[in-house]
Amino acid sequence: MSPNFHRGPLPAAIIAKFSALLFGLALVGCASIASIKQTSAPVPSLPGRAEDFVLAKKELSDAEKIEHKQPLLALGHDLVAA
């Protein structure tokens, strides 16, 4: 190779394929990290705050009913309960 040899830019198709490959590998590599286990936390009972807990339990119950159909709305119910 001579010192004046310049390699041209990589074709866009090669860059796109390489980017897609990296993205796919990132998704596959993070799949085991992203798995979660669903648990429910016990609600503590404090004297004098019973009405707050009744409302919170209702919000959590509403969230459980819709969590598979409308997960964002269920998350809103969870936040209101908090």
Side-chain angles (χ1 to χ4, degrees):
M1 280 201 259
S2 68
N4 293 333
F5 179 77
H6 290 290
R7 191 173 220 177
L10 290 175
I14 292 175
I15 293 172
K17 287 179 183 178
F18 185 71
S19 298
L21 176 67
L22 284 179
F23 181 72
L25 289 175
L27 285 178
V28 171
C30 295
S32 63
I33 297 171
S35 62
I36 58 170
K37 180 181 175 185
Q38 185 175 1
T39 60
S40 59
V43 179
S45 59
L46 298 174
R49 309 248 352 233
E51 61 277 351
D52 291 340
F53 287 118
V54 170
L55 292 174
K57 285 181 182 180
K58 181 189 177 308
E59 290 293 335
L60 291 173
S61 175
D62 292 345
E64 285 180 7
K65 292 176 186 173
I66 61 171
E67 69 181 338
H68 294 292
K69 294 179 184 175
Q70 296 176 320
L72 291 177
L73 187 58
L75 180 60
H77 284 284
D78 291 341
L79 291 174
V80 168

